[in-house]
Amino acid sequence: MSNQQNSDTEIFRAIEWKDDYLRVIDQTFLPSREIYTNLTNPGQVWEAIRNLKVRGAPAIGIAAAYGLYLGARELPDSSFDSFFLEIERLQEYLATSRPTAVNLEWALNRIVNTLLGHKDKEIDELKKIMLKTAKTIHDEDLRLCKSIGEKGQQIIPKKAKILTHCNTGFLATAGYGTAFSVIWHAHQNGNLEKVWVDETRPLFQGARLTTWELQKEEIPFQLITDSAAGFLMQQDKVDIIIVGADRIASNGDTANKIGTYSLAVLAKAHEIPFFVAAPYSSIDTGLSDGSGITIEERKDIEITSFGNKEIAPSKTDVYNPAFDITPNHLITAFITEKGVIDPDFEKNLKQLTITE
Ligand code: MRU
């Protein structure tokens, strides 16, 4: 069902807290099957994140936050210090599920830091506080994503042809998405001509997931191979590019799905504005630039096979980075919940993190 004109209570939700477990749509089955899976312990949450059942930077932060609570609720009554030691172990474990998106460690840190402010409370009370904080992170992400979409409208030209990469929508967040939210709102405002969707090799988040969301929302789009993007730009068929982010360093260098950097270089060569849409939770204030970002490397089989068919000779040596880093000078501006952030990013991104 389309989310158009619906209120926030009726939108599609990829992640839902159901009284005592987490229900997520298993994104590995999309677009052919809509299968939901219930996660009841941290091991299941870890596995769901690692295997991309839950994916997209904000979504994995939300899932990990609930995962930490799911582990905490099994812990016995004890002193604050022993409880906290176990929580730190769980935090460390969940943080190993995927390395690049900062939202994961951000969400876990937020819960752990909240606990530190309640050392005097009973263990039962602490568990409730953890669940409440996970729900706050979840609800807040929905608000931030909606705001990103609304604030992003100022950069949308009339009858825009927008190119996007990977999946940044309802599936990747609590709702609306980041880059997808800007696109969704442009469509609502009658300002969108079409979306060019990069297939996003090797796991096809564009072909499998973004097209699925666009179809649901009745937004006009065409799917392209990643390597067609430059040709379209050369032919004047792209007005702007909007992508999401997995980790933004303090100077604006941005890690996002592999292929993003190539798009940014092409955009520069064709003088096409290149925007990154993200909430404050995607900014890593501890990193001065992108050189310190850990890039996830994934299995060979993601490249050497297509479905169940081998497409490279056996024993082919493979390098499969899942993300790349776009340097700040290739980014026109960031679209955030607080508005559009222009360079100087080092200075201007600070306003996002200081007041939250
Ligand atoms: O490997 P994935 O599918 O988790 O990668 C996701 C992306 O790269 C998205 O662009 C990013 O997380 C932003 S999601 C709002």
Side-chain angles (χ1 to χ4, degrees):
M1 194 184 66
S2 167
N3 288 311
Q4 286 179 38
Q5 276 134 33
N6 286 354
S7 72
D8 289 351
T9 51
E10 293 165 320
I11 62 165
F12 171 78
R13 286 170 188 266
I15 306 176
E16 279 182 287
W17 179 254
K18 297 275 189 191
D19 291 336
D20 64 348
Y21 63 90
L22 193 60
R23 179 182 184 259
V24 299
I25 188 164
D26 183 339
Q27 300 188 32
T28 60
F29 286 105
L30 289 172
S32 47
R33 293 163 73 196
E34 269 186 52
I35 293 183
Y36 290 82
T37 179
N38 298 335
L39 310 176
T40 57
N41 63 55
Q44 289 174 345
V45 173
W46 187 96
E47 189 276 333
I49 295 173
R50 168 60 67 101
N51 294 322
L52 309 194
K53 292 175 179 170
V54 179
R55 49 142 300 284
I60 63 179
I62 295 163
Y66 286 117
L68 194 55
Y69 165 72
L70 287 171
R73 74 174 177 183
E74 303 304 330
L75 296 175
D77 198 14
S78 66
S79 67
F80 177 87
D81 286 347
S82 355
F83 178 73
F84 194 71
L85 200 65
E86 290 305 317
I87 295 298
E88 281 184 314
R89 282 201 189 121
L90 279 167
Q91 174 188 22
E92 220 169 281
Y93 165 67
L94 284 163
T96 61
S97 54
R98 289 192 80 188
T100 303
V102 70
N103 310 62
L104 178 63
E105 57 202 65
W106 169 86
L108 293 168
N109 282 340
R110 182 160 165 179
I111 298 191
V112 169
N113 289 336
T114 305
L115 280 182
L116 286 174
H118 294 278
K119 284 185 176 174
D120 53 325
K121 300 267 185 350
E122 301 287 321
I123 299 302
D124 266 357
E125 195 54 36
L126 292 174
K127 292 178 184 175
K128 284 185 193 143
I129 289 170
M130 290 177 76
L131 178 59
K132 191 164 165 250
T133 312
K135 287 179 176 171
T136 303
I137 289 169
H138 195 172
D139 294 346
E140 180 185 277
D141 189 61
L142 184 70
R143 286 199 307 278
L144 296 177
C145 286
K146 197 171 185 191
S147 181
I148 287 170
E150 290 163 355
K151 296 271 168 49
Q153 295 315 295
Q154 60 182 283
I155 58 94
I156 302 289
K158 286 222 169 343
K159 295 286 158 212
K161 297 184 282 298
I162 305 176
L163 188 142
T164 192
H165 193 65
C166 198
N167 172 265
T168 64
F170 289 86
L171 292 164
T173 60
Y176 296 100
T178 55
F180 193 94
S181 182
V182 181
I183 291 168
W184 187 89
H185 282 86
H187 176 65
Q188 295 283 303
N189 295 340
N191 248 347
L192 181 81
E193 185 174 318
K194 75 187 300 183
V195 187
W196 295 111
V197 182
D198 273 3
E199 61 179 351
T200 317
R201 275 196 61 81
L203 291 180
F204 299 102
Q205 287 92 332
R208 294 188 302 108
L209 309 175
T210 303
T211 55
W212 183 77
E213 293 189 324
L214 289 166
Q215 252 176 17
K216 240 175 153 46
E217 299 300 315
E218 297 166 28
I219 298 174
F221 70 89
Q222 273 187 296
L223 176 65
I224 57 168
T225 59
D226 296 339
S227 39
F231 179 57
L232 294 185
M233 292 185 215
Q234 190 187 42
Q235 294 208 322
D236 240 353
K237 289 184 170 161
V238 178
D239 297 322
I240 58 170
I241 298 170
I242 317 179
V243 298
D246 283 85
R247 190 181 293 249
I248 302 166
S250 302
N251 72 343
D253 290 352
T254 295
N256 192 49
K257 181 52 57 193
I258 192 78
T260 303
Y261 168 59
S262 318
L263 281 180
V265 172
L266 283 164
K268 189 79 162 182
H270 294 90
E271 297 179 2
I272 293 169
F274 183 90
F275 295 98
V276 174
Y280 82 101
S281 52
S282 298
I283 298 176
D284 187 343
T285 49
L287 274 186
S288 54
D289 62 50
S291 63
I293 299 177
T294 303
I295 297 294
E296 178 182 7
E297 280 181 45
R298 297 190 62 90
K299 289 183 188 146
D300 297 7
I301 196 171
E302 292 180 356
I303 298 188
T304 55
S305 68
F306 188 87
N308 290 328
K309 193 173 158 38
E310 274 195 354
I311 55 165
S314 60
K315 301 200 185 118
T316 295
D317 197 12
V318 164
Y319 174 48
N320 184 16
F323 299 94
D324 59 26
I325 296 163
T326 300
N328 58 6
H329 67 92
L330 295 178
I331 298 170
T332 307
F334 287 88
I335 306 170
T336 74
E337 67 275 11
K338 291 216 175 136
V340 174
I341 305 225
D342 296 313
D344 171 355
F345 298 136
E346 182 91 60
K347 177 166 142 252
N348 296 342
L349 282 172
K350 280 201 182 114
Q351 63 181 277
L352 270 185
T353 43
I354 286 169
T355 53
E356 293 294 341

